[in-house]
Amino acid sequence: MNVNKIMANRLFWPVVMLLVLLIINLLAFPGFFSVQIRDGHLFGSLIDILRNGSPTLMIAVGMTLVIATRGIDLSVGAVCAISGAVACSIILGSSDPASPATVTVAVVVSLLISLVLGLWNGFLVAVVGIQPIIATLILMTAGRGVAMLITEGQILTVNSPPFKAIGSGFFLGLPISVLIAAAIFVFALVLTRRTALGLMIESVGINPEASRLAGVRARGLLIAVYVFTALCAAIAGLVLTSNQTAADANNTGLFIELDAILAVVIGGTSLAGGRYSLLGTLIGALVIQTLVTTVYTVGIPPIATMVFKAAVVTVVCLLQSPRTTELIESARRRNARRRGKAVTA
């Protein structure tokens, strides 16, 4: 097995960083890897990482495809807030908040609104031709205002067991939020890697004009990608709101767009568009959430979390940089020459 080829893989350093963080947690808390079964449900630090990191993963999956098209979506946090606000408003306005039918209507309406928001982003980018960072910044800015209007500036607290189950419930021993995130990840992976869709997304990201001349409908593809990302954000918003049992327009999904982008970057997807890695995004999301857990486990003040996130991203990006790859390859060649000289002598 060629060690240098393994180190050159773009997933090598994210995996190493994840393992380092897990080891740090294990040293600080010896029972970190223990998983217990209580009332038929799995509990433990690892389960908490999966559950708490699932909203970030949901959004990061959509963000990966957007970035692969040479775009960016800064509005996902606002979409989270709108989704949660709409769902809680419908549930509170119902005569029977605990009814599964009421919760179903609230979820469906929230998802339909997210589709409209995704269409808006896609229209601005693909049809009007506005730069993605500006187009999505519009909704990022206005979205929380819309959520505030929906909630009338209040924190809407709901008491609905079916709705709470979305973020805090369990199915077959696993948190429902983890299963939802896994379903989104598998769906995107199969759709983009088992069909030609993934290749078309990469082609649009590498050279939109050449893709158009080759027959790829770049405009429709861009709109579809932004719609899918908004849908992922809405589902994440429902999970976050359900877990809190309240819609907080100011704080729901706050800065989650940054975590999603960091997860994508750590996973090795280039912000310049083109080649992407959903598996890398999964690892990146786990790194982000494990880092947050490490901050609490080690006893570092939570206000320093963003600083440590920035440090981890910087380290991983430096290790993944072409310059680092060149240095590793140069070292390999020097070692090969030395071994050759030793054999000759």
Side-chain angles (χ1 to χ4, degrees):
M1 183 178 295
N2 194 322
V3 177
N4 294 291
K5 287 185 178 180
I6 295 177
M7 293 181 64
N9 191 298
R10 57 185 171 180
L11 297 183
F12 175 77
W13 293 114
V15 170
V16 169
M17 185 61 69
L18 178 60
L19 292 176
V20 168
L21 290 173
L22 291 174
I23 291 173
I24 292 174
N25 281 278
L26 180 62
L27 294 176
F29 180 54
F32 182 76
F33 286 145
S34 64
V35 177
Q36 302 175 354
I37 300 178
R38 302 175 189 171
D39 300 326
H41 304 154
L42 296 177
F43 288 91
S45 298
L46 295 178
I47 302 299
D48 290 340
I49 289 175
L50 294 176
R51 183 178 66 247
N52 295 331
S54 58
T56 300
L57 176 60
M58 295 176 196
I59 296 176
V61 169
M63 190 71 74
T64 302
L65 302 183
V66 168
I67 291 177
T69 62
R70 204 184 293 183
I72 199 78
D73 192 343
L74 300 179
S75 67
V76 289
V79 174
C80 285
I82 293 174
S83 174
V86 170
C88 287
S89 296
I90 293 175
I91 293 173
L92 284 177
S94 171
S95 58
D96 187 9
S99 170
T102 300
V103 175
T104 301
V105 171
V107 170
V108 170
V109 172
S110 298
L111 297 182
L112 289 176
I113 291 177
S114 73
L115 295 181
V116 175
L117 297 176
L119 281 171
W120 168 254
N121 283 336
F123 172 77
L124 293 181
V125 174
V127 179
V128 180
I130 300 177
Q131 289 290 332
I133 191 171
I134 302 300
T136 57
L137 185 62
I138 295 172
L139 183 55
M140 176 186 179
T141 304
R144 292 203 177 271
V146 172
M148 290 288 289
L149 290 174
I150 294 173
T151 62
E152 298 181 350
Q154 305 295 319
I155 297 178
L156 304 182
T157 303
V158 297
N159 183 16
S160 174
F163 182 67
K164 186 177 181 180
I166 297 175
S168 305
F170 287 82
F171 181 73
L172 298 178
L174 290 172
I176 292 177
S177 59
V178 174
L179 296 176
I180 294 174
I184 292 174
F185 176 80
V186 172
F187 172 78
L189 188 65
V190 171
L191 189 64
T192 58
R193 293 309 186 190
R194 294 297 181 182
T195 68
L197 181 61
L199 182 60
M200 289 189 290
I201 290 175
E202 290 181 343
S203 67
V204 170
I206 294 172
N207 193 324
E209 183 61 23
S211 300
R212 185 185 65 81
L213 294 175
V216 177
R217 296 183 178 179
R219 180 175 296 180
L221 187 62
L222 285 174
I223 293 175
V225 166
Y226 281 96
V227 168
F228 177 70
T229 303
L231 183 63
C232 292
I235 296 174
L238 291 173
V239 170
L240 291 170
T241 305
S242 167
N243 197 34
Q244 300 165 354
T245 64
D248 187 349
N250 282 326
N251 296 310
T252 299
L254 187 64
F255 298 137
I256 199 169
E257 61 273 3
L258 301 182
D259 284 346
I261 295 171
L262 291 179
V264 175
V265 172
I266 289 175
T269 298
S270 172
L271 290 175
R275 297 291 297 275
Y276 66 93
S277 172
L278 286 173
L279 180 58
T281 296
L282 170 61
I283 297 173
L286 291 176
V287 168
I288 293 296
Q289 187 57 49
T290 305
L291 178 61
V292 175
T293 302
T294 304
V295 169
Y296 289 101
T297 302
V298 177
I300 300 171
I303 57 176
T305 302
M306 297 299 290
V307 177
F308 281 87
K309 284 182 182 179
V312 169
V313 173
T314 301
V315 171
V316 173
C317 289
L318 287 175
L319 292 173
Q320 291 177 319
S321 67
R323 179 59 178 165
T324 302
T325 303
E326 291 176 4
L327 292 175
I328 293 175
E329 182 64 20
S330 178
R332 185 190 68 80
R333 292 174 181 173
R334 286 197 300 268
N335 290 333
R337 286 197 297 266
R338 290 171 184 172
R339 287 195 298 268
K341 292 178 180 179
V343 171
T344 303

